[in-house]
Amino acid sequence: MIKLSGISKNYKIFSLKDISLEIQKGEYLVILGPSGSGKTLLLEIIASLEKPHKGSIEGVDNSKIGFIYQNLMLFPHLSVFDNIAYGLKMRGNKKMKVSETVVQTSKKLHIEHLLERNIKTLSGGEKQRVAIARAVVYKPELLLFDEPTAALDQNVKNEIQKLFRQIHRETGATVIHVTHDFNEALSVADKIAVIKNGAIVQFGTPEEIFNTPADSFVADFVGYRNVYSGKIEDNCFISGNIKIYVESKDRKKVYIAVKSEDTILSVEKIKSSARNSFHGEITDIEKKFNGYNIVVNAGFEICSTITSASFNNLELDIGKKVFITFKSSAVKVFCH
């Protein structure tokens, strides 16, 4: 187990604040947060590339770490073979052992045909596979990934994420992976730690983070499209002209969030036990991979996610009048 206790560090005008985490052996942890939140700095502290001003780390053997940086940091003057072999050579492995291990690793990553190539001639996805091979070739116990797919297009990104899952499954290594992409976190993580302004604001499984976000920041960051600030009186959230029924006690300052997937969009008002139903006009239509986000002005902006089949059946277009309906139990409530 890797244990971080009270990690704090002042770095220029930024600081990490009292970060404590426990990462179980063989676990895949994603540290999720926006740019500038401290993800990379925390990763560098774990790798002993930076020293914390306060706190301690237990369970990390610096000689058994594989690190993939966002910019990959491949050696441009070396071949693919020599890039992958670098860590083995530095550890004093014999030439024959180095060659056998590099070939075996490159075959697993489907880059054996690239071994004699110059790094400068590779595509982004090929470079990423070389960086992964270099990180895993000496079988580290801990893998650290710093925004590893940030520069890749979506198809290549999906391939690399699949490869990360495979490597984790086959090696049993502990993985700490930082990203700002919640969909990437969902695709690989056993646990997620959400970081904001240098502090961990929520830690849990992907399902816990998505279904019960700890606050409005987490809700907004993981994709809740409908987040509002106001107050609750008599089981009713009030903010300007917004009135939404909730299952919560009276509170003077709260945020609420409603997943766009938890709403029903219709062209006629539906008969339902749901207490929240709003009539408005479609102002925007966003195509998604497996459906649509429909943005409606109902006196306030609210978004509903629907399937492609529903979109076609309802014959939706900008300016069309629709209803958005959802239950009071679908509303998440957070204190300020």
Side-chain angles (χ1 to χ4, degrees):
M1 181 178 73
I2 296 171
K3 185 175 182 180
L4 281 63
S5 302
I7 297 295
S8 298
K9 183 176 178 67
N10 297 322
Y11 189 80
K12 299 179 181 179
I13 61 172
F14 177 81
S15 62
L16 292 176
K17 308 175 185 75
D18 194 29
I19 290 180
S20 296
L21 285 171
E22 290 187 359
I23 305 127
Q24 301 303 316
K25 182 177 175 61
E27 196 165 62
Y28 200 124
L29 170 70
V30 171
I31 300 173
L32 177 70
S35 298
S37 58
K39 304 185 301 295
T40 298
L41 180 57
L42 180 58
L43 208 63
E44 290 176 338
I45 289 173
I46 294 170
S48 296
L49 299 175
E50 293 280 351
K51 292 184 178 180
H53 292 131
K54 292 181 180 179
S56 63
I57 300 176
E58 301 172 32
V60 175
D61 183 341
N62 294 329
S63 68
K64 297 180 179 180
I65 294 176
F67 203 129
I68 301 177
Y69 284 93
Q70 181 175 349
N71 61 5
L72 304 184
M73 296 185 71
L74 297 172
F75 302 118
H77 61 290
L78 298 180
S79 68
V80 169
F81 179 97
D82 288 330
N83 264 276
I84 299 172
Y86 183 81
L88 292 170
K89 292 177 179 178
M90 291 294 289
R91 286 165 172 78
N93 285 272
K94 293 183 178 180
K95 188 174 181 180
M96 182 67 71
K97 178 65 174 177
V98 169
S99 181
E100 290 176 357
T101 307
V102 169
V103 170
Q104 289 172 359
T105 302
S106 66
K107 285 181 178 179
K108 288 182 179 180
L109 295 172
H110 307 294
I111 54 173
E112 66 272 22
H113 61 292
L114 301 176
L115 289 177
E116 301 309 315
R117 290 267 296 274
N118 186 295
I119 290 296
K120 295 177 181 178
T121 68
L122 304 182
S123 68
E126 289 170 339
K127 289 178 180 177
Q128 187 64 265
R129 286 176 181 264
V130 174
I132 295 168
R134 187 177 65 177
V136 305
V137 69
Y138 52 88
K139 297 180 174 59
E141 295 178 354
L142 174 62
L143 290 168
L144 304 177
F145 299 157
D146 180 20
E147 298 274 9
T149 67
L152 304 177
D153 64 44
Q154 191 58 53
N155 287 336
V156 178
K157 185 179 290 191
N158 291 339
E159 290 178 10
I160 297 300
Q161 290 166 3
K162 181 178 178 181
L163 188 56
F164 287 154
R165 293 194 297 269
Q166 177 186 332
I167 290 169
H168 180 238
R169 185 170 59 250
E170 291 179 354
T171 66
T174 303
V175 180
I176 304 176
H177 174 150
V178 306
T179 182
H180 64 272
D181 185 338
F182 181 62
N183 289 323
E184 179 163 289
L186 280 178
S187 76
V188 296
D190 296 321
K191 296 283 183 63
I192 295 175
V194 183
I195 188 170
K196 174 188 177 185
N197 295 332
I200 301 296
V201 293
Q202 189 170 2
F203 176 75
T205 66
E207 293 79 12
E208 288 168 343
I209 300 294
F210 186 68
N211 291 322
T212 56
D215 59 22
S216 60
F217 167 80
V218 178
D220 182 64
F221 195 75
V222 303
Y224 278 66
R225 291 295 304 269
N226 307 306
V227 181
Y228 312 104
S229 175
K231 63 181 180 179
I232 295 175
E233 294 180 355
D234 298 325
N235 296 114
C236 187
F237 171 82
I238 302 169
S239 178
N241 62 344
I242 305 175
K243 291 186 178 181
I244 295 175
Y245 290 103
V246 299
E247 295 181 355
S248 178
K249 61 184 180 181
D250 290 3
R251 291 175 180 171
K252 290 184 178 181
K253 291 183 179 181
V254 296
Y255 286 99
I256 66 164
V258 183
K259 285 192 287 187
S260 55
E261 294 85 354
D262 285 346
T263 66
I264 300 171
L265 188 136
S266 59
V267 294
E268 301 288 343
K269 189 168 185 177
I270 61 173
K271 293 181 179 180
S272 168
S273 60
R275 301 185 69 189
N276 295 298
S277 185
F278 301 96
H279 189 229
E281 181 179 298
I282 296 175
T283 58
D284 194 19
I285 297 173
E286 304 170 5
K287 181 72 174 78
K288 296 179 61 184
F289 176 73
N290 57 351
Y292 291 84
N293 286 331
I294 309 299
V295 181
V296 175
N297 182 358
F300 63 100
E301 187 176 279
I302 185 167
C303 179
S304 180
T305 298
I306 63 173
T307 65
S308 296
S310 293
F311 179 82
N312 293 328
N313 290 337
L314 293 172
E315 299 179 342
L316 302 179
D317 204 350
I318 301 294
K320 186 161 186 172
K321 300 288 187 179
V322 293
F323 290 87
I324 289 184
T325 305
F326 54 92
K327 295 181 178 181
S328 56
S329 59
V331 183
K332 311 292 184 184
V333 178
F334 315 107
C335 294
H336 268 287

